[in-house]
Amino acid sequence: MDTPASAAALPTDTRGRALHDLRISVTDRCNFRCVYCMPKSVFGAEWRFLDRKDLLSFEEIERVARAFVRCGVRKLRLTGGEPLVRRQLETLVERLARIDGVEDLSLTTNAALLTPARAEALKSAGLHRINVSLDSLRDEVFKRINDVQFPVAKVLAGIDAAAAAGLGPVKVNMVVKRGLNGDEVADVAEHFRGTGHIVRFIEFMDVGNTNGWRLDDVMGAREIAEAIGARFPIAPVQPNYRGEVAKRWRYVDGAGEVGIISSVTRPFCGGCTRARLSAEGKVYTCLFASAGTDFRAILREGISDEALTQRVAALWGRRDDRYSEIRTFETDKLASLGPKVEMSYIGG
Ligand code: SAM
Ligand code: SF4
Ligand code: SF4
């Protein structure tokens, strides 16, 4: 009943892009204070996080997710803030895993709370895969990034726990920032080579308004690939599907593959099929949007499932976002786009 009758009925946006993925932020809170995402200078003791009553309930999230699935979504990803700080997350996973039409249900986490028991509980609840963020293998650098003295070894243990629970292959996300961890690209590649985990190197992005982004800090995809290739020969791999965000490379000797996400130097807006649901129920059709559409209000006013689906389809039909292309190719138009939503709010 959640699967649409025919592909012809599915909405496309004004640039002909289908709706395929939904990222669901389950909380705006986090147990880290990564300097590029939730710097302590902004997200300090004074920062007001959302009240519990303002968060979407699991039932509300499920209703929105079902409406998106009826409009073509096949991939759901839970994120945050830090999704594992949301209590009873497994209950939400169970609800989402039961939706017909969901082919991929994953979670992005900093792994601080990813014990073996938690990983097993998530797997039994129906989670398919886990992405773990890890920006450095050097404790001193990693602690400077997470800014809460969290050690690398515990994240590595979380990655192992996910793999042991059957939530692999684990994708390990490393945001690369020149001058911070740019010199570690080949070391991180080497560490995970041959383990079955897939490292994805992510260009440092100008998300939000608080992370002090400068183009000079971006280590571009080409430079990242050169750094890896200088140590281990790599060759490009064909994308799995249109719109795949990571450009894939395989080790020529067969020791696995890596991905490079080049949202700054080679924007992929043309194939972007992703929507985002914030923890308080706003839908964003672009990571860099300045405004979202409030779904919480209409849910709490008692909207029907059918009308909810129509709202999703109408919103997607109006979409014309392509921020990264404008940032890279039409910088003169950037100022007109307004302040962006924070990453910790919609979850990357
Ligand atoms: N807390 C979870 C985590 O860190 O995995 C999930 C939310 S976090 C916002 C999602 C992803 O966004 C992480 O992999 C993080 O490294 C990435 N991210 C945050 N700020 C970024 C930035 N300025 N540029 C690129 N990636 C960023
Ligand atoms: Fe928290 Fe993830 Fe942002 Fe780091 S990147 S502050 S772990 S939400
Ligand atoms: Fe998609 Fe917006 Fe990123 Fe372009 S900038 S790829 S439209 S989220």
Side-chain angles (χ1 to χ4, degrees):
M1 133 162 207
D2 289 298
T3 314
S6 83
L10 299 178
T12 49
D13 71 8
T14 60
R15 296 178 183 277
R17 297 168 294 191
L19 174 55
H20 196 257
D21 323 56
L22 179 66
R23 294 199 182 168
I24 302 172
S25 173
V26 295
T27 177
D28 58 334
R29 290 168 198 259
C30 187
N31 40 10
F32 282 11
R33 283 293 175 275
C34 299
V35 289
Y36 56 73
C37 179
M38 295 178 74
K40 276 184 182 164
S41 54
V42 179
F43 296 86
E46 304 289 289
W47 182 259
R48 292 269 312 175
F49 288 99
L50 294 170
D51 279 346
R52 212 179 154 66
K53 65 173 182 3
D54 294 331
L55 296 177
L56 288 193
S57 68
F58 290 163
E59 190 191 344
E60 289 168 332
I61 293 176
E62 179 187 345
R63 285 196 64 205
V64 176
R66 283 185 183 273
F68 271 86
V69 169
R70 286 191 289 269
C71 288
V73 160
R74 295 292 168 264
K75 292 175 69 167
L76 297 178
R77 178 181 300 172
L78 299 174
T79 178
E82 171 47 43
L84 295 183
V85 306
R86 176 97 188 233
R87 262 179 285 161
Q88 312 248 290
L89 188 72
E90 290 75 1
T91 316
L92 176 65
V93 171
E94 262 172 28
R95 282 173 173 265
L96 299 178
R98 279 199 300 261
I99 302 178
D100 274 348
V102 173
E103 291 162 11
D104 188 28
L105 176 57
S106 66
L107 168 85
T108 299
T109 174
N110 61 26
L113 298 171
L114 195 58
T115 58
R118 196 83 201 267
E120 278 158 29
L122 288 163
K123 173 73 183 174
S124 336
L127 192 72
H128 299 163
R129 294 185 302 108
I130 281 198
N131 299 339
V132 173
S133 305
L134 176 61
D135 296 330
S136 175
L137 291 168
R138 290 178 290 183
D139 253 331
E140 169 246 328
V141 177
F142 188 54
K143 288 178 179 173
R144 205 181 328 139
I145 294 173
N146 65 54
D147 213 10
V148 293
Q149 291 298 307
F150 201 83
V152 172
K154 282 198 169 178
V155 180
L156 295 176
I159 294 172
D160 289 344
L167 290 166
V170 179
K171 289 186 179 155
V172 180
N173 291 338
M174 171 181 181
V175 175
V176 185
K177 188 175 175 192
R178 194 187 301 288
L180 187 65
N181 59 356
D183 57 339
E184 255 192 285
V185 164
D187 293 340
V188 171
E190 179 165 2
H191 182 89
F192 290 104
R193 239 173 73 86
T195 60
H197 310 315
I198 300 170
V199 185
R200 300 194 313 164
F201 299 93
I202 304 173
E203 289 179 354
F204 176 50
M205 293 186 288
D206 53 333
V207 276
N209 307 286
T210 54
N211 76 358
W213 185 85
R214 295 179 319 142
L215 186 58
D216 289 351
D217 293 331
V218 179
M219 187 163 155
R222 177 199 295 246
E223 212 183 322
I224 293 172
E226 282 169 1
I228 304 165
R231 200 173 298 178
F232 307 104
I234 50 173
V237 181
Q238 285 307 311
N240 277 332
Y241 54 90
R242 189 177 124 82
E244 188 171 47
V245 293
K247 167 113 182 72
R248 297 163 63 209
W249 296 83
R250 64 178 174 82
Y251 293 109
V252 172
D253 66 4
E257 64 174 72
V258 296
I260 304 180
I261 302 182
S262 61
S263 17
V264 179
T265 61
R266 274 181 237 145
F268 36 78
C269 301
C272 179
T273 55
R274 216 160 305 123
R276 296 174 161 85
L277 174 65
S278 78
E280 60 174 340
K282 288 200 174 129
V283 174
Y284 292 84
T285 53
C286 178
L287 178 54
F288 300 92
S290 48
T293 303
D294 186 6
F295 273 56
R296 188 184 65 197
I298 53 174
L299 284 165
R300 295 186 182 174
E301 281 158 13
I303 192 170
S304 70
D305 284 342
E306 199 186 333
L308 192 60
T309 308
Q310 282 165 4
R311 292 288 184 113
V312 173
L315 177 63
W316 194 258
R318 288 195 299 274
R319 175 187 193 240
D320 80 340
D321 304 285
R322 54 182 195 103
Y323 176 89
S324 290
E325 287 181 355
I326 293 174
R327 178 226 292 119
T328 306
F329 305 123
E330 299 168 45
T331 21
D332 53 315
K333 291 194 188 146
L334 265 186
S336 64
L337 296 177
K340 297 160 280 180
V341 64
E342 292 301 326
M343 182 82 139
S344 55
Y345 181 78
I346 53 170

